Amino acid sequence: MAIDIVQPTVGLSKIAVSETHGENSPYFAGWKAYDENPYHEIHNPSGVIQMGLAENQVSFDLLEEYLESHQEATSWGKKVSGFRENALFQDYHGLLAFRKAMASFMEQVRGGKAKFNPKRVVLTAGATAANELLTFILANPGDALLVPTPYYPGFDRDLRWRTGVEIVPIHCESSNNFQITPEALESAYDHARSMGMKVQGVLITNPSNPLGATIQRKVLEQILDFVTRKNIHLVSDEIYSGSAFHADEFASIAEILESRNYQDAERCHIVYSLSKDLGLPGFRVGTVYSYNDQVVTTARRMSSFTLISSQTQFLLASMLSNKEFTEKYIKINRERLRKRYEMIVNGLKKAGIECLKGNAGLFCWMNLSPYLKEATRESELEIWKTIMDEVRLNISPGSSCRCSEPGWFRVCFANMSEETLEVALRRLHEFMDKRRNEEMSLLY
Amino acid sequence: MEVGLNNTQKFLSKIATNDGHGENLPYFDGWKAYDTNPYHPQTNPSGVIQMGLAENQLCFDLIQEWIMNHPEASICTPQGGFDFKETALFQDYHGLPQFRAAIANFMSRVRGSRVKFDSDRIVMSGGATGAHETVAFCLANPGEAFLVPTPYYPGFDRDLKWRTGVQLIPVVCESSNNFKVTLEALEEAYDKAKESNIKVKGLLITNPSNPLGTFFDKDTLKTLVSFINEKNIHLVCDEIYAGTVTDDNEFVSIAEILQEFPTICDHNLVHIVYSLSKDMGFPGFRVGIIYSYNDTVVNIARKMSSFGLVSTQTQHLVASMLSQNDFVDNFIHESRTRLAHRHDLFTRELAQVGIGSLESNAGLFFWMDLRRFLKEPTFEAEMTFWRIIINEIKLNVSPGSSFHCNEPGWFRVCFANMDDTTVMVAIERIKSFVHETRMLEIKTKAMAKTKKQCWQNNLQLKLSSRRLEDIMSPHSPLNSPMLRAQN
């Protein structure tokens, strides 16, 4: 059955026929190219290398090792007697052991600099669901959430599609490394108001996707002051918190709140997931952590639409409550990501390409603006298409992340082997060399 | 942390601050009573027995045996561990192809292989709860409505309405014809909506029915399909209990209607909701399915499934289990047999003490008729009697009013969520209650022959005075000829 056939849409809802799911954007066209011609070391060495998917594959061996040595704990025991209880468990509070394990893991990721109460952990099937759910709770249709650009393309769907809520961008610029400024916050707020929208909150991703950088503590304080002044919410998507290369370079909003004795905390909510830090996107493990009791209660009720499989809760409760394992995992995972990052940034540098100085995440924010014909979105998409067709790399254009400056690209590095990354870098190097030679020859 | 904000109403959304979650309904009082005093054969033999939860616990032995013999189905074992990484990374909202194939296979076998399902039309959701909400988002705009025959599952009020803004309009069904859905009732509900300027977008049926435990006959299904086709509205069929029909040959799925009468309606109007929560007894695994005959709905629902995908770990297990036809066929057969046995046991024992129920042969519950026990034929009397059932008989059953039943006195009683011993305890408690009530009536009648003033002082009441007041009604079973005959 072809999925692209447009059927008559009589009798469906407005939500169903809208384009807000966002899948017709270039971001997804790259995926198509990859799907049709995927790189394989042996079977398809000239295929498209997928660098548009922010997956973490660098630490699976650690997970597999854990499973091998903890059979009893992870598979309902020898006689499978725990199966029945597990299969029946549908309480939206979630398995207590799992909630405790999540809270403890979140604390460990933050080096113990903030405490998390298992009672405030609400479970959802992935961060996708968590962000949508929070939006349903914090804003009415037509209201606005302010989101710094560039941002994760999925937000256009997650925050807006079924909720009817609008995203108003907080414009960030390369001149100060895309940091969020108080001026930009105010400007976005005023712009929303001028369009007749009620602003209900600010949503930040920290560490940032696609920038691959943590938000500085000072900036977090400013954002917190801003939302307090305006009496609005702050959602901090900390899905990449375990992917900061150096633990001490990441400051969570939780730490700021703790340092302020939780004053004004009830406007703050954290989204987390195991899809990036643990590399388990298929398991659909997300969480909303709110300092607001009513939000916790309501979110928990809403989680009925998107609970985590109790089978998965059971497995991960065991894994994440083993503090020796998690500590080791977090440390090694950070190191491996850092190494990968250095590898790609140095490789790009050799090819004459600069990146934003990053310190977290599964990607780097690459600057090709010097190579654009003109400083336009069209030029950006042109070079993107060339990289796709000639270099055969699927990378994500900044315009799909609503970046206000053309020429930036998100390049993922953790979803492949080192060898494949080397191939990708080599191809890019060759491409840039070829371009330079062509330009040189044009001069003569 | 206390919520210390002013204007909480404005600070959170309307959806967050309304009652759309449905948890403030009396329906949940029974649950609270159970939670605070749950029955346990050894540690709390006088606790409340849970008969308000439609779970299927009768066949876990079969499943456990299968799991022990198939370690490769789990990605955590040495045999299955090879699949761990690939499974953990797979987040494609199409779902694992083998999972979809297994579900299509299972759905077909549950229907006696009389009909085939296309695995490309299988869309995942966060349980049937997630499926219903997603279908509502796809088919209706805020303010538009679905018709739903009463009595219906209380969860629909949350699932279809809460975040979608969609309305539910009851299609009233009556005990006089065993709660069958009639064309008149459909037309009446549809016209009523029209008069109120509400656009009807679809009809939602649960087949087999929750709470009735009955299923639609072929003619009624055809009538419904013709109705929706004529009105050009959608038909959503929740077939979550399809596997609980005790005699497989009798159940007719909407899929069979479309197969046998392909021109009966525009297939783009038909959508099935399914889940493994009832037939397999896996509510914790959150395996919800949307199966639509409408390509656009499949496409959009699939995109929406990002908000409620099935864990690939679970997809992997289910794919393995439900693709093994020997196991599947045996499981379905055994489950049906055990459910039938349970159902018959209960209804037979209760009939002995004059308690009847709607004739049914599906579901994990039966629809008990306690109309004669009510002081008056009102919902207040139903709630009062219900509180007695919870607090004194110590059974959590569900009052018909929570299912929007139009007639007081009906109660849904779940029977598949307990072991055999507990079944006997529950039956005993009901029988004792009826017996005591009868004894009280005999004593009272005898006393009534003497001076009216005397009985109030002399009567030794084992029951509370409140209970007395409620039992001594013209509608009590004490006047039943069957009871008198047994004296």
Side-chain angles (χ1 to χ4, degrees), chain B residues 125-145:
Chain B
S125 59
T129 301
H132 278 293
E133 193 197 40
T134 296
V135 169
F137 268 124
C138 286
L139 304 183
N141 294 311
E144 294 178 345

Side-chain angles (χ1 to χ4, degrees), chain B residues 186-236:
Chain B
L186 285 168
E187 295 280 3
E188 194 183 317
Y190 186 87
D191 292 338
K192 218 171 174 180
K194 218 170 162 194
E195 278 157 38
S196 314
N197 258 325
I198 298 173
K199 186 146 192 260
V200 173
K201 266 322 204 15
L203 168 65
L204 166 65
I205 61 171
T206 307
N207 181 31
S209 161
N210 174 12
L212 302 176
T214 54
F215 49 80
F216 291 79
D217 59 77
K218 201 185 254 190
D219 286 334
T220 309
L221 278 175
K222 287 173 73 181
T223 306
L224 295 181
V225 173
S226 304
F227 172 80
I228 59 107
N229 195 52
E230 188 232 324
K231 305 285 191 221
N232 195 31
I233 61 176
H234 294 275
L235 177 61
V236 182

Side-chain angles (χ1 to χ4, degrees), chain A residues 1-18 21 23 53-57 60 63-64 67-68 71 74-76 78-84 86-90 92 120 125 128-129 132-133 135-141 157-158 161-163 198 200 231-233 262 264-267 269 275-276 279-284 291-295 298 301-302 304-313 315 319, chain B residues 1-17 21 23-24 53 55-57 60 63-64 67-68 73-79 81-82 84-85 87-91 93-94 118 120-121 125-127 129-130 133-134 136-141 144 158-160 162-163 201 232 234 268 271 277-278 281-286 294-300 302-304 306-315 317 321 417:
Chain A
M1 188 196 69
I3 51 171
D4 288 334
I5 294 175
V6 176
Q7 298 272 328
T9 49
V10 169
L12 300 186
S13 66
K14 293 193 182 92
I15 285 175
V17 307
S18 83
H21 50 72
E23 288 194 20
L53 182 51
E55 265 178 5
N56 179 359
Q57 294 191 23
F60 264 109
L63 299 174
E64 284 160 350
L67 289 176
E68 265 168 56
Q71 283 293 297
T74 54
S75 51
W76 299 308
K78 271 209 175 76
K79 292 207 173 104
V80 199
S81 52
F83 176 85
R84 181 175 157 277
N86 188 224
L88 286 171
F89 187 86
Q90 59 174 330
Y92 61 26
R120 294 192 173 283
T128 300
E132 189 198 42
L133 189 144
T135 306
F136 268 120
I137 292 174
L138 304 181
N140 291 310
R157 171 198 61 193
D158 301 349
W161 191 19
R162 307 190 305 181
T163 61
K198 190 158 173 286
Q200 282 296 101
N231 193 24
I232 60 180
H233 295 275
Y262 296 108
D264 292 313
E266 63 274 4
R267 64 182 74 258
H269 325 278
S275 299
K276 310 297 178 182
L280 306 173
F283 290 0
R284 314 315 300 145
Y291 295 90
N292 182 315
D293 291 351
Q294 193 173 2
V295 171
T298 308
R301 288 176 174 149
M302 270 191 199
S304 298
F305 299 112
T306 182
L307 297 173
I308 301 177
S309 168
S310 53
Q311 180 191 17
T312 301
Q313 290 187 50
L315 163 65
M319 201 186 265
Chain B
M1 240 142 288
E2 290 301 309
V3 175
L5 291 165
N6 298 325
N7 300 320
T8 311
Q9 291 291 323
K10 283 191 220 153
F11 198 63
L12 300 184
S13 68
K14 294 190 182 92
I15 285 174
T17 48
H21 51 76
E23 288 189 20
N24 295 335
L53 184 52
E55 272 176 1
N56 182 356
Q57 295 190 21
F60 276 113
I63 298 173
Q64 279 168 200
I67 288 182
M68 274 178 57
S74 163
I75 53 176
C76 303
T77 58
Q79 296 87 343
F82 182 71
F84 180 80
K85 181 174 166 184
T87 306
L89 284 171
F90 188 88
Q91 57 176 329
Y93 60 26
H94 287 79
D118 177 0
D120 286 335
R121 292 191 177 280
S125 59
T129 301
E133 193 197 40
T134 296
F137 268 124
C138 286
L139 304 183
N141 294 311
E144 294 178 345
R158 171 199 58 195
D159 301 348
L160 278 105
W162 191 17
R163 305 192 303 182
K201 266 322 204 15
N232 195 31
H234 294 275
N268 282 316
H271 325 274
S277 299
K278 310 296 178 184
F282 292 165
F285 291 176
R286 313 317 298 150
N294 181 318
D295 290 351
T296 309
V297 173
V298 171
N299 190 342
I300 300 296
R302 188 172 281 140
K303 292 178 162 81
M304 285 190 187
S306 298
F307 299 112
L309 296 171
V310 176
S311 167
T312 46
Q313 178 192 18
T314 301
Q315 289 186 48
L317 172 69
M321 195 186 281
N417 61 320

Side-chain angles (χ1 to χ4, degrees), chain A residues 227-244:
Chain A
V227 299
T228 306
R229 217 163 45 241
K230 302 291 190 199
N231 193 24
I232 60 180
H233 295 275
L234 175 59
V235 178
S236 181
D237 184 342
E238 301 191 349
I239 194 175
Y240 292 101
S241 44
S243 308

Side-chain angles (χ1 to χ4, degrees), chain A residues 6 21 52 55 78 87 95 105 153 174 222 228 233-234 276 292 315 317 322 332-333 343 345 364 427 438:
Chain A
V6 176
H21 50 72
E55 265 178 5
K78 271 209 175 76
L95 280 176
F105 187 70
S174 60
Q222 285 170 342
T228 306
H233 295 275
L234 175 59
K276 310 297 178 182
N292 182 315
L315 163 65
N322 185 322
I332 295 178
N333 185 50
M343 183 180 161
V345 162
C364 61
R427 285 187 189 175
E438 278 169 6

Side-chain angles (χ1 to χ4, degrees), chain B residues 416-448:
Chain B
N417 61 320
M418 59 188 71
D419 59 31
D420 291 329
T421 319
T422 312
V423 169
M424 297 321 294
V425 173
I427 290 174
E428 260 322 293
R429 287 186 186 180
I430 297 174
K431 282 174 138 174
S432 302
F433 170 76
V434 174
H435 179 73
E436 279 171 14
T437 308
R438 190 196 318 151
M439 293 312 294
L440 179 62
E441 202 271 335
I442 292 168
K443 276 188 179 161
T444 316
K445 272 196 163 162
M447 290 298 200

